[in-house]
Amino acid sequence: MGSGRLYLAVAVRGFRRYATYRTATAAGVFTNTVFGVILVHTYLALWDQKPHLGGYDQAQAVTYVWLGQCLYATLAIQGGGAEKDLMGRIRTGEIAVDLYRPADLQLWWLASDLGRALFQLLGRGVVPFAFGAVFFPMALPTDVTLWAACLVALVLAAVVSFAIRYLVALSAFWLMDGTGVNQALMITGIFFSGMVLPLNVFPGALGDIARVLPWAAQIQMPADVLMGEADPLRAYVFQAFWAVVLLVAGRLLQSAATRRVVVQGG
């Protein structure tokens, strides 16, 4: 099997795997919709007091909320994607089997995670976003090119998200327990991706720092591209830069780990 077909098959397998969890998907749709409603009313109250906060009007703020709920599971903002399985395989020693496969370890897990992300987008993200569009005023573009530009930004966001979580997963080569790093991943993911508040609302130096960190590529960039608040090309350059930097860092860390570290369990 050619390498392209191999990784495509891995992505399809990742999609199908998550498609089997229908009850969990339905529960996730319900949860994201409820949290979306809560956040929307919180945002509306905040924007009533601070009109055009962060450069957004109320409709844009509402759009940001529902896009965040759409991408919450898609980008595994709190973790729970490929890194969870990878850390388990490192801990048990099953990673040794993966290393013997005639496939690149990082690309294998990237393909699997992209398959998962696609299912979560379609299965868990679309319904809450559509619900928001029906029942709340949203700043949705009428130009199809902005939707296409946002789709490209979403693909790059998924790659950046994986690259961050892959680095976290590789820490299991040295740590006996990944609970601590997973908690850190959850906190940084929620805060610095803009899941709680748009990053352009963050004040002063905190905002300047948050907007140049890789987490900004996950929600803030796709949202600004969709609403016409960011030049798509500049957003792509920012996202691609972090994707390359983090993937290269992951490959270097993977190389060091597989050469020098004894895998727990085998």
Side-chain angles (χ1 to χ4, degrees):
M1 181 182 292
S3 60
R5 291 175 58 196
L6 170 63
Y7 298 120
L8 178 60
V10 173
V12 170
R13 175 179 172 272
F15 183 98
R16 289 178 175 174
R17 174 190 173 189
Y18 280 85
T20 61
Y21 301 113
R22 298 175 184 177
T23 302
T25 300
V29 169
F30 177 78
T31 301
N32 286 129
T33 303
V34 170
F35 272 96
V37 172
I38 294 171
L39 280 174
V40 162
H41 284 94
T42 303
Y43 273 39
L44 289 176
L46 180 59
W47 260 258
D48 276 339
Q49 296 299 315
K50 297 285 186 178
H52 300 287
L53 180 64
Y56 289 165
D57 59 27
Q58 280 194 340
Q60 288 176 313
V62 171
T63 304
Y64 186 93
V65 169
W66 288 112
L67 184 63
Q69 293 305 308
C70 175
L71 299 181
Y72 175 78
T74 301
L75 302 179
I77 298 298
Q78 281 190 285
E83 82 287 348
K84 181 179 179 181
D85 294 332
L86 179 54
M87 292 180 83
R89 294 184 70 83
I90 293 172
R91 186 171 58 252
T92 62
E94 293 176 289
I95 190 67
V97 177
D98 300 337
L99 294 172
Y100 273 107
R101 288 194 182 112
D104 182 87
L105 183 69
Q106 188 182 52
L107 289 178
W108 177 284
W109 286 101
L110 172 59
S112 178
D113 198 61
L114 290 178
R116 176 207 60 79
L118 179 59
F119 172 77
Q120 296 288 23
L121 176 65
L122 299 177
R124 183 169 169 174
V126 170
V127 173
F129 190 82
F131 176 90
V134 171
F135 292 101
F136 295 91
M138 291 173 61
L140 299 178
T142 57
D143 187 352
V144 69
T145 58
L146 280 179
W147 288 99
C150 181
L151 183 60
V152 175
L154 290 181
V155 173
L156 291 171
V159 175
V160 173
S161 172
F162 165 79
I164 293 171
R165 290 179 286 111
Y166 190 72
L167 284 169
V168 170
L170 291 176
S171 68
F173 276 104
W174 288 274
L175 301 175
M176 292 291 293
D177 188 351
T179 302
V181 290
N182 281 327
Q183 290 293 325
L185 174 66
M186 179 184 70
I187 294 170
T188 54
I190 288 291
F191 187 78
F192 286 112
S193 70
M195 191 70 199
V196 177
L197 278 173
L199 299 182
N200 52 18
V201 172
F202 287 18
L206 176 61
D208 294 337
I209 294 172
R211 286 188 289 271
V212 298
L213 293 176
W215 291 275
Q218 293 180 286
I219 294 179
Q220 190 68 55
M221 288 294 104
D224 282 341
V225 169
L226 180 65
M227 295 186 291
E229 292 293 321
D231 176 53
L233 183 58
R234 292 185 64 182
Y236 299 160
V237 169
F238 177 82
Q239 291 176 300
F241 168 79
W242 277 116
V244 171
V245 168
L246 293 170
L247 288 173
V248 169
R251 187 163 293 273
L252 293 174
L253 188 60
Q254 170 190 311
S255 177
T258 54
R259 282 202 312 262
R260 300 180 182 180
V261 177
V262 175
V263 177
Q264 296 295 330

